Amino acid sequence: MNIPLSRPSIGELEIEHVTRVLRSNQLSLGPTLAAFEESFAAYIGTKHAIAASSGTAALHMCVRAMGLGCGAEVLTSSFSFVASVNCLLYEGVTPRLIDIDPDSFNIDPEQLRIFLREKCVRNASGEVIDRENGLVVKAILPVHVFGLPAEMDAIDRLAAEYGLAILEDSCEAIGATYNGRSVGTFGEAAVFAFYPNKQMTTGEGGMIVTDNAKIAEQCRSLRNQGRDVDGRWLKHVTLGYNYRLSDIQCALGCAQLARIDELLAGRTRVANRYVELLKGLDLVRLPHVDSRSTRSWFVFYVQFMGESSTSELRDEVREHLANAGIASQTYFPAIHKQPYFIEITGGAQCDLPVTEWASNTCLAIPFFPSLSEAEIRDVVNTLGEAVQDRAPAVLSLKTS
Ligand SMILES: *Cc1c(COP(=O)(O)O)cnc(C)c1O
């Protein structure tokens, strides 16, 4: 067997769109960029969309455009892809890692509330100060992990109460909704990403969405070397970057966005099949369902509930899958356990038991729209065998 973890869905429509741009002689800052941004903003329901060279670049620009910098602290979670913390570190912003909810794996609003109420004070001008380091808490950066929206009602309420901004990392959640509302519309700004393992791809790429005209304008300038939006080619008004997305990539994005419903439906089909087949398998916990949300399936993960919260069982299953030619990935290794993060923070203590438990026990298995019924069964059966080795008496793997 050889079943990869993910595979993009590229067809004739994508090839047509990309070829048209290649023949047009306008490979960057052309009409396809504008078209992609316009249709993306319409899809999410925001006034502005600004394409970028990656989700990381998009997050970085949002941090700058939202005025976050040295002396500021942002509340986010450690159970995420490193980009959501790195975008803060790039600008000298201190990430304050809050533990996650044990069901959703998203930032836990109750832990947020406890932190704000018990670990912070207000100064004379009403700013929220982290008592431990004296930094000004300025924003919350929730990540919609694995495509399940964070608890935005509670997060919104806390943000309003404490005067904090919200930057949504929606990179894993295109098309997801919370209380009927699309992710990407809750904060001052939000970011989506288009790496090939994401629900839609541009090869590499990202997108900022916002209703705030000032943030939009600043991000357009930042991505284009700090040029004035309608300024001359060699007039740079701010320290910017080359974070542009080429029209070739935007063409791919336009085609994928035109197919987004089909792409998401394909993922939902595979996820539902996995759930049907894995349901009832002992020691395995399936992805959380939240009645307020529709998940946009990014990865399909299973959590292994062994006797302890160590990674032993998960790692055994992973090895068993690998021996059978089935790819899997330990999503997510906690950011606060990464060598670079420990070095930067001087090994500061992080008390994040739920994050560590989730990161020791979750495994992403092959997941993409074109995964066949036979492949799904191979994955399920192989995973079942591995678990059965551990719990032979309690296995009740369904076969239909
Ligand atoms: C994919 C992803 C990003 C952005 O990644 P890029 O590779 O830079 O596009 C950011 N945050 C999360 C949570 C992601 O999954």
Side-chain angles (χ1 to χ4, degrees), residues 53-57 59 80-81 83-84 143 169 171-172 191-195 197-198 204-206 298 332:
S53 53
S54 70
T56 308
L59 282 166
S80 174
F81 181 60
S84 56
V143 182
D169 182 338
C171 289
E172 304 190 351
V191 167
F192 293 86
F194 311 126
Y195 188 72
N197 70 338
K198 298 272 153 69
E204 294 280 359
F298 165 52
F332 286 109

Side-chain angles (χ1 to χ4, degrees), residues 78 95-98 119 132 336-337 341-342 345-353 356:
S78 180
R96 167 64 68 180
L97 302 175
I98 304 292
K119 304 284 164 86
E132 191 184 292
H336 70 282
K337 294 285 196 183
F341 189 84
I342 294 169
T345 57
Q349 270 316 106
C350 293
D351 185 25
L352 303 168
E356 291 184 17

Side-chain angles (χ1 to χ4, degrees), residues 167-295:
L167 170 57
E168 278 176 84
D169 182 338
S170 307
C171 289
E172 304 190 351
I174 185 170
T177 63
Y178 179 86
N179 284 339
R181 192 169 146 193
S182 178
V183 302
T185 62
F186 289 89
E188 265 65 47
V191 167
F192 293 86
F194 311 126
Y195 188 72
N197 70 338
K198 298 272 153 69
Q199 290 92 325
M200 62 168 274
T201 186
T202 58
E204 294 280 359
M207 188 75 82
I208 297 159
V209 294
T210 182
D211 282 339
N212 183 319
K214 219 173 135 210
I215 290 177
E217 186 177 310
Q218 271 181 294
C219 288
R220 283 184 201 288
S221 170
L222 287 171
R223 91 169 155 194
N224 197 18
Q225 304 283 20
R227 288 178 174 93
D228 222 328
V229 172
D230 29 44
R232 286 169 300 133
W233 188 243
L234 287 176
K235 186 180 167 211
H236 304 271
V237 295
T238 183
L239 173 67
Y241 313 91
N242 179 354
Y243 282 168
R244 296 183 298 259
L245 190 68
S246 76
D247 279 46
I248 306 168
Q249 292 164 299
C250 290
L252 185 46
C254 286
Q256 292 263 288
L257 191 59
R259 293 177 54 213
I260 190 71
D261 291 344
E262 171 209 331
L263 293 173
L264 295 180
R267 295 177 100 89
T268 302
R269 176 191 67 82
V270 175
N272 289 342
R273 206 60 198 119
Y274 268 140
V275 168
E276 279 164 27
L277 292 170
L278 289 166
K279 191 167 55 184
L281 183 59
D282 204 66
L283 303 182
V284 164
R285 188 181 184 217
L286 295 175
H288 181 60
V289 177
D290 183 335
S291 59
R292 291 163 298 190
S293 301
T294 51
R295 186 194 285 270

